[in-house]
Amino acid sequence: MKRRELIGGALSLAAAPAFAQSGGFDWRRQDGQTITLMFNNHPWSQAMREMATEFTARTGIRARIEIFNEEQFRARLTTFMQGRSAELDVFMTLASREGPVFRKAGWYADLAPLLADPSLTAPDYDAADFAASIQGANVFERQVVAVPINQEGPLFYWRRDVFERLGIPEPRTLEDIPAAAAVIKAREPGMIPWAARGLRTAIPYAFVGFVNNLGGSVATPDGKPGMSQPGSVKAIEMYASLLKEYGPPGALNHTFTQVIELLGAGRVAMVHESSNEFANIMRFPNRANDLGVKILPPGKESGISKPAAIGWGIAISAHSRKQAAAWTFLQWATSKETQAKLVSAGVAPPRASVFKGPAFDAWTAELPIRRAWAEALVQLGREGSGVFQPPTDRIPEAREKIGDAVQQVVLGRATPAEAARMADEELAKIQ
């Protein structure tokens, strides 16, 4: 069965009669339990740590939360899961990245039966409220492996004051970006025109939007590697050229931390970086007033605007002996009420209803850039794609090979067409 058909099947659980019932749900059914949760360091997880007392007050369940930077988080999670430890109950997961591998290993508890059980799921949970493009990454055949906690994707941030001072129009097409970078380099030598992820493993997250918008794709219609398609080759050429000609020193070692630091410090005029970093960017002086933000502009010739979109989720360990208590946490953390509170921490909600709520409206009304960020996120949820590589279970390896193609061009070791051909050959080996 195809993924899209299964998404519909999984989300239809939210419309089943059990979810239409009102009243009678006991949030304190698991009172007295203690659950252990392991999270990646992220604005959402930091907010959860602050809100954990609210969860305990409502449910009587104590939440022991551990937060680690991503590399350490993944190493510790692997140790727990390979050891089939019952000590871990809930963990963060990026199913679009590791979902096939984790599922094959049997690490995910299936949430579908929990969703369908009216004694375990609140009648107003409303799973259909999640953006389909985000929730779809969490469904494999009939197994629901996680529920979404955020939605994010790379956004185009630019210094409106620099553009106005130099008389450069706001970029309306993708091709306008290198043209603007050339003017900035010539007329404002103290300003870095462009910054984006250049680290090999990090490149695909920002790069795939260029591929899509220029009319390419990472895979052909029959699922084979698609980097040698004309639009994909154009994307390699443009992305590599921006890094090489207009990027900062050491760009090939940069990921989001360096890109955001450059933008926040006022040293770069344009970046393509995660919507999830919005709150961090706004902490820097003046950025709330001088930045513009939107999704990556469409290709001039293709007219395509198909941004990359992902969403972290939270899953229950298949080895947990406290799955009912863990599911209570997942419901509370991803409820409409909780997600509405997370907006002020810069966490973009995966629930469509939160974008329409009074709390969100009040928060975005305080600053014009917040409204622009919100509008970009709505577009991400509506138009975004979570496809970053051809079909394969070896996702990290595939993304590394795509990033390597870009790096080879930046380093002058291959033309865009040569790099694309080599990438397709390598990608085919791991399908």
Side-chain angles (χ1 to χ4, degrees):
M1 187 175 291
K2 301 295 185 183
R3 169 68 64 85
R4 185 166 298 280
E5 295 171 342
L6 292 165
I7 292 170
L11 292 182
S12 70
L13 290 170
F19 280 73
Q21 297 171 6
S22 61
F25 182 74
D26 183 7
W27 278 97
R28 301 190 70 87
R29 186 170 181 175
Q30 306 299 323
D31 191 352
Q33 297 265 24
T34 298
I35 56 175
T36 300
L37 309 93
M38 187 185 297
F39 298 150
N40 175 39
N41 191 10
H42 185 281
W44 179 87
S45 53
Q46 296 294 342
M48 279 295 104
R49 179 152 57 187
E50 297 297 320
M51 296 172 67
T53 54
E54 296 181 26
F55 169 69
T56 301
R58 183 166 189 179
T59 66
I61 302 169
R62 291 185 58 206
R64 186 167 57 208
I65 297 175
E66 298 180 339
I67 300 175
F68 303 96
N69 288 332
E70 187 161 354
E71 184 176 344
Q72 187 180 7
F73 161 74
R74 293 190 179 281
R76 286 178 64 85
L77 178 62
T78 299
T79 298
F80 271 89
M81 300 307 291
Q82 287 181 341
R84 303 177 67 85
S85 173
E87 296 180 21
L88 180 63
D89 301 296
V90 174
F91 59 92
M92 279 177 65
T93 182
L94 190 59
S96 61
R97 178 187 186 275
E98 66 257 11
V101 175
F102 282 17
R103 180 175 179 266
K104 186 176 182 180
W107 291 2
Y108 293 123
D110 188 1
L111 305 183
L114 302 173
L115 276 162
D117 189 336
S119 69
L120 295 177
T121 302
D124 59 352
Y125 183 63
D126 191 10
D129 189 35
F130 292 113
S133 63
I134 302 300
Q135 177 62 357
N138 296 318
V139 181
F140 296 88
E141 296 183 1
R142 288 203 168 276
Q143 183 177 3
V144 180
V145 302
V147 288
I149 59 173
N150 79 321
Q151 66 169 320
E152 61 180 273
L155 296 179
F156 176 62
Y157 299 85
W158 77 100
R159 285 283 298 274
R160 291 184 295 106
D161 59 326
V162 173
F163 275 66
E164 290 170 5
R165 183 168 63 249
L166 299 180
I168 306 171
E170 173 187 330
R172 301 292 182 183
T173 70
L174 195 54
E175 290 82 351
D176 292 337
I177 292 176
V183 174
I184 294 166
K185 182 177 182 178
R187 297 179 55 192
E188 189 115 351
M191 177 70 65
I192 299 167
W194 172 260
R197 301 185 185 198
L199 191 67
R200 182 168 51 192
T201 54
I203 283 174
Y205 176 75
F207 170 66
V208 74
F210 283 73
V211 175
N212 296 338
N213 289 13
L214 289 171
S217 62
V218 293
T220 61
D222 60 357
K224 295 179 180 179
M227 299 305 298
S228 293
Q229 296 175 105
S232 304
V233 174
K234 288 180 183 178
I236 294 174
E237 182 176 16
M238 182 181 291
Y239 196 95
S241 176
L242 284 168
L243 287 178
K244 183 176 182 177
E245 302 297 331
Y246 306 111
L252 294 189
N253 295 313
H254 287 183
T255 185
F256 71 94
T257 50
Q258 293 82 14
V259 173
I260 294 306
E261 183 66 30
L262 288 168
L263 181 63
R267 296 179 56 199
V268 64
M270 296 180 286
V271 309
H272 187 225
E273 191 45 79
S274 176
S275 60
N276 197 53
E277 293 301 316
F278 180 76
N280 291 330
I281 296 168
M282 292 300 101
R283 293 189 180 102
F284 287 88
N286 300 320
R287 298 296 81 86
N289 299 316
D290 60 26
L291 281 179
V293 59
K294 62 182 180 180
I295 63 170
L296 193 68
K300 184 176 183 179
E301 294 181 8
S302 71
I304 295 172
S305 177
K306 191 176 183 181
I310 64 170
W312 282 88
I314 40 177
I316 297 175
S317 168
H319 311 309
S320 169
R321 298 192 184 105
K322 302 174 182 177
Q323 293 189 8
W327 174 240
T328 303
F329 176 83
L330 264 64
Q331 284 183 81
W332 170 83
T334 62
S335 66
K336 295 176 184 179
E337 178 184 5
T338 300
Q339 294 213 333
K341 294 179 180 179
L342 290 170
V343 171
S344 61
V347 178
R351 285 186 173 275
S353 63
V354 177
F355 282 102
K356 304 171 185 176
F360 192 80
D361 283 343
W363 183 77
T364 56
E366 292 176 1
L367 289 171
I369 193 170
R370 290 179 179 172
R371 173 55 62 185
W373 177 74
E375 290 173 352
L377 286 166
V378 170
Q379 289 182 277
L380 281 177
R382 184 175 63 243
E383 303 169 12
S385 168
V387 178
F388 294 81
Q389 69 288 312
T392 177
D393 285 350
R394 296 162 64 177
I395 292 173
E397 291 178 67
R399 294 184 183 182
E400 186 171 353
K401 295 181 186 304
I402 291 171
D404 185 61
V406 174
Q407 283 200 348
Q408 293 302 308
V409 177
V410 175
L411 294 170
R413 296 173 181 170
T415 66
E418 290 169 344
R421 177 182 53 78
M422 289 187 289
D424 280 345
E425 291 174 355
E426 292 299 311
L427 289 165
K429 295 176 183 178
I430 59 174
Q431 283 195 298

